[in-house]
Amino acid sequence: MFTESFPGLSPTTNSTCAAFVDGENICLPNLKVPFYFAMRQNLVDGVPDTMLAIAAPVVAYWTMSLFFHCLDQCSWSWIAKYRIHESEEISSRNRATYSEVIGAVVFQHIIQTALGFYWLSQPPHISPSKCMMEMEAVGKTLVRLVRWAIGPEAGEYFLERQGAEMTYWLYWWGIPAAQVLFSLFVVDTWQYFLHRSMHASKFLYKHLHSVHHRLYVPYAFGALYNHPLEGFVLDSLGAILAETVANLSVRQTIFLFAFSTVKTVDDHCGYSLPFDPFQMFTGNNADYHDIHHQTIGIKSNFSQPFFIHWDIILGTRLTRKDIEERKRKVKTT
């Protein structure tokens, strides 16, 4: 990812040199590894990171679903006020049984796992020397960009004071964060336009997407209750596309797969929880997606699973306030 070379700068690292740019050398301090990075080949001894990437979404799905299922079954009176629908509505309004839902999800996970074995490759060897070589490449790119942006003299002044620190930040924080955020954007874009097209096309809705909408009252286990072809194209291929386009490492892929799965389950959990972190950081939450599952909102709120920018930009956003205003207009006419 960072091995591109640039003419005029040698690929050597010498932490004893006098400046960040010393002639043809890029000089970096001794390697400092941030807290989140494990300098070993596998995060879990004996388990390849690729296996974790394949297993993470499956484990995350059933763990998160089990948590909300326990909330559904508990008799705590305080939790009832956070339910979007009464518990009885799940059996009275939904047109799919629990066994049908679980069977469909298990089948999708089998297909998803097989695709993961086919697609994901063994990650490159992890070592301090490899990290330093990649940081050098980041430093070279930084030098080129700074000199181009503000000129050689001002660039040298800036690089002398901030070059090493900025290289460290870009390599360990800036670039990885940008990659992950971009992958979230890719997932959102892929799912919004495919999801909307399945509602726009009577054929696609009837033969594919209507399966998911048998759940008028969403619940956690049903987050991935889809027609198998829809699940493969919308979820599995979408995740692989994001991983590829964003050029994620295997460990970033573990995060993407697990995070997107947990967020999807949370969006279908049936609870509007003020203390749920997944419902706090974005407007695309369980209540927002529940509107889409109701008759009044079936042509709205296509965004999933992270942000709602496409709904806002393309005019398909529908809020509880909008629904109340519609009802008031109907009463006055």
Side-chain angles (χ1 to χ4, degrees):
M1 180 170 58
F2 301 113
T3 56
E4 183 179 358
S5 61
F6 297 88
L9 293 172
S10 69
T12 59
T13 301
N14 179 7
S15 60
T16 62
C17 57
F20 175 67
V21 180
D22 185 13
E24 295 185 351
N25 294 328
I26 295 294
C27 302
L28 296 171
N30 293 330
L31 182 64
K32 295 180 181 179
V33 179
F35 73 91
Y36 72 82
F37 188 82
M39 188 64 74
R40 54 178 182 268
Q41 190 62 27
N42 300 312
L43 290 173
V44 179
D45 291 338
V47 181
D49 283 352
T50 49
M51 295 299 100
L52 285 184
I54 293 170
V58 178
V59 174
Y61 187 92
W62 294 108
T63 301
M64 193 74 167
S65 296
L66 182 61
F67 169 77
F68 283 111
H69 181 68
C70 290
L71 291 186
D72 290 337
Q73 301 303 312
C74 74
S75 57
W76 297 334
S77 58
W78 65 270
I79 200 69
K81 65 181 179 181
Y82 297 118
R83 289 193 176 104
I84 300 173
H85 299 275
E86 297 295 331
S87 298
E88 294 76 15
E89 290 186 76
I90 294 179
S91 57
S92 64
R93 297 184 63 195
N94 288 343
R95 296 184 291 118
T97 65
Y98 278 113
S99 59
E100 290 174 331
V101 169
I102 292 175
V105 173
V106 169
F107 183 74
Q108 178 165 335
H109 279 159
I110 292 173
I111 300 300
Q112 174 182 297
T113 300
L115 181 63
F117 276 107
Y118 171 78
W119 183 259
L120 294 176
S121 58
Q122 189 65 22
H125 180 66
I126 296 174
S127 67
S129 60
K130 180 177 181 293
C131 291
M132 289 300 294
M133 289 178 63
E134 292 176 343
M135 288 183 69
E136 288 172 10
V138 173
K140 296 171 189 177
T141 304
L142 177 64
V143 170
R144 294 291 185 183
L145 289 175
V146 169
R147 286 174 175 172
W148 171 81
I150 62 177
E153 292 186 6
E156 292 301 321
Y157 181 84
F158 174 83
L159 290 168
E160 284 302 311
R161 286 153 181 77
Q162 302 295 331
E165 291 80 1
M166 183 166 286
T167 299
Y168 173 89
W169 182 86
L170 285 171
Y171 179 75
W172 291 113
W173 297 98
I175 294 174
Q179 288 175 299
V180 170
L181 287 174
F182 181 60
S183 71
L184 303 187
F185 172 79
V186 172
V187 169
D188 271 356
T189 302
W190 177 263
Q191 295 213 6
Y192 177 88
F193 288 100
L194 280 180
H195 187 193
R196 186 172 181 178
S197 69
M198 290 183 184
H199 280 272
S201 168
K202 292 182 179 180
F203 178 85
L204 291 177
Y205 185 83
K206 178 181 179 180
H207 295 282
L208 295 179
H209 195 54
S210 62
V211 173
H212 185 68
H213 278 275
R214 291 175 185 171
L215 301 182
Y216 286 92
V217 181
Y219 55 88
F221 281 116
L224 291 183
Y225 174 59
N226 301 306
H227 187 284
L229 182 58
E230 177 186 344
F232 177 77
V233 174
L234 190 70
D235 298 309
S236 300
L237 288 187
I240 284 181
L241 176 68
E243 179 265 342
T244 303
V245 173
N247 195 28
L248 300 184
S249 68
V250 173
R251 293 181 183 179
Q252 288 172 311
T253 301
I254 295 172
F255 173 81
L256 172 66
F257 288 0
F259 181 55
S260 59
T261 299
V262 169
K263 184 66 172 62
T264 299
V265 173
D266 194 88
D267 289 347
H268 291 80
C269 71
Y271 290 88
S272 183
L273 301 172
F275 47 81
D276 184 340
F278 297 103
Q279 298 187 25
M280 294 167 60
F281 89 98
T282 172
N284 198 342
N285 50 39
D287 186 65
Y288 185 84
H289 191 65
D290 180 81
I291 293 173
H292 174 73
H293 275 260
Q294 309 312 309
T295 303
I296 194 172
I298 200 167
K299 295 293 186 179
S300 305
N301 295 11
F302 299 113
S303 292
Q304 58 184 85
F306 301 113
F307 307 107
I308 61 174
H309 55 275
W310 286 121
D311 275 325
I312 294 174
I313 293 170
L314 299 177
T316 53
R317 183 188 184 191
L318 183 66
T319 65
R320 295 291 180 186
K321 183 179 179 181
D322 296 330
I323 294 174
E324 292 302 318
E325 289 179 355
R326 287 186 185 183
K327 291 179 179 178
R328 283 196 297 269
K329 289 180 180 179
V330 171
K331 290 179 180 180
T332 56
T333 55

